[in-house]
Amino acid sequence: MSRTVTVGIDDSPESRAAAGWAAREALLRGLPLKIVHVQEPTPRYMARGPLPGLDGYRHRAQRLTRETAESIRRRHPGIEVNTGMLTGTVADVLCEAAGFTELLVLGSRGLGRFGAFTVGAVSPGVVACAERPVVLVRAGNPPADEDAADSWDLSSSEAPGRPVVLGLDIDRPDETVLEFAFDAAARRKAALRAVHAWSEPPPSFSRRADDAEFHGTLERGQASLLSKVLRPWRQRFPDVDVIEVSRCGRAPRILADDCRGAALLVVGRRIRTGGFGPRIGPVTQSALHHISAPVAVVAHG
């Protein structure tokens, strides 16, 4: 694995937002930034003759990566920036690239005017197969002149004081996910909001569903379990202000409520080796569709 932050780009607003986010993350981590653009291979039957517009596409793609790198260097003179042009099926190439980087950053729902690389269309597939952390970034509120050289570098999620939110499964807490979230909060000097959603047992397995005393007992028990999971991480990261949130209800809705105004949401994705192939769990799937903050999906065993 290379110690770099890698961002895949096209020409969409989401991609520009991802490039800006990746640049700031590389600075926070003290790592080089690698900017990559993927071109789908030309079908063999089309390669027998000249392909109208292909050379023009290549020139535009090269100019895109070059201008993005120049904008980042101009805003952040101390950062090391490299660029790369890759060829292959976009999702496969990005999944492979994720294995050679510390962090892969992609725009979320980027449509792109280049036909060869629509980041938003492939990002869920990359999340499902990558075994390294992948961050998906939506476009913020760009300025009126979206073609301005530095418009991609704006992101309201990076304003000071915004917390990092961790969606936590306390039944199967994973150290990789916890470490990523605490580290992200520590680097940003931000609070970490650890969110745990739980469900009441069916009435047939409990006392009356409207029994306030029973509900209170469950609530205190779940909050205690959350504190137990977080205790060693509080000790490891004593400078991180941890806010514990334990609520009864559906995890996607609770996460959406707690992510308003967040700098970053961190969720886990269990690496599955069964016959169904790579998958994204329902909570992560909902986060990718409904949460506007950048979402870091951390794969774990």
Side-chain angles (χ1 to χ4, degrees):
M1 183 188 70
S2 174
R3 294 273 295 167
T4 62
V5 173
T6 299
V7 58
I9 64 167
D10 60 11
D11 68 337
S12 67
E14 291 82 5
S15 183
R16 290 194 291 273
W21 193 95
R24 290 185 294 274
E25 187 68 15
L27 285 171
L28 284 173
R29 294 170 177 261
L31 296 176
L33 175 68
K34 185 170 184 179
I35 302 168
V36 300
H37 178 90
V38 183
Q39 177 185 346
E40 291 273 9
T42 304
R44 187 175 303 173
Y45 72 90
M46 297 179 68
R48 294 172 184 166
L51 186 61
L54 182 58
D55 287 341
Y57 162 74
R58 286 173 179 157
H59 289 311
R60 292 196 303 274
Q62 290 168 354
R63 185 177 65 186
L64 171 67
T65 56
R66 183 180 66 251
E67 290 180 351
T68 302
E70 289 171 353
S71 292
I72 290 173
R73 293 187 186 106
R74 185 165 57 250
R75 279 186 172 264
H76 308 293
I79 191 171
E80 178 186 340
V81 183
N82 303 302
T83 62
M85 299 288 294
L86 307 176
T87 302
T89 303
V90 178
D92 293 342
V93 170
L94 290 176
C95 280
E96 184 178 359
F100 293 95
T101 188
E102 185 159 308
L103 184 68
L104 176 66
V105 184
L106 300 174
S108 180
R109 298 183 67 184
L111 299 179
R113 290 186 292 275
F114 294 166
F117 185 11
T118 54
V119 173
V122 302
S123 54
V126 177
V127 167
C129 70
E131 298 191 1
R132 295 292 303 161
V134 179
V135 178
L136 300 188
V137 181
R138 292 181 187 268
N141 297 312
D145 180 11
E146 289 190 2
D147 292 327
D150 296 324
S151 64
W152 50 265
D153 202 31
L154 300 176
S155 174
S156 60
S157 68
E158 292 301 305
R162 295 180 182 269
V164 172
V165 176
L166 166 63
L168 187 58
D169 179 0
I170 65 171
D171 293 328
R172 294 179 293 183
D174 185 84
E175 291 191 355
T176 306
V177 181
L178 282 155
E179 183 170 20
F180 186 98
F182 271 87
D183 180 71
R187 291 180 188 277
R188 289 166 172 75
K189 297 180 172 56
L192 176 67
R193 188 190 299 270
V195 180
H196 160 55
W198 53 276
S199 302
E200 287 185 342
S204 58
F205 291 93
S206 65
R207 295 160 63 180
R208 295 196 332 267
D210 60 350
D211 189 326
E213 181 181 352
F214 176 70
H215 182 87
T217 300
L218 282 176
E219 192 171 53
R220 289 188 295 273
Q222 292 292 322
S224 177
L225 289 172
L226 175 61
S227 295
K228 183 178 179 181
V229 170
L230 294 173
R231 192 172 300 125
W233 295 94
R234 283 178 176 271
Q235 295 169 354
R236 242 178 105 174
F237 292 86
D239 294 333
V240 174
D241 179 21
V242 181
I243 303 164
E244 299 182 11
V245 179
S246 177
R247 291 182 184 162
C248 178
R250 295 182 65 250
R253 182 179 295 276
I254 289 172
L255 269 183
D257 289 341
D258 278 278
C259 278
R260 291 182 182 137
L264 178 68
L265 168 64
V266 181
V267 292
R269 181 189 71 82
R270 188 170 297 278
I271 299 172
R272 304 177 189 274
T273 57
F276 293 103
R279 291 188 288 149
I280 302 175
V283 175
T284 298
Q285 186 78 39
S286 177
L288 297 182
H289 280 86
H290 301 297
I291 291 175
S292 60
V295 179
V297 183
V298 182
H300 60 90

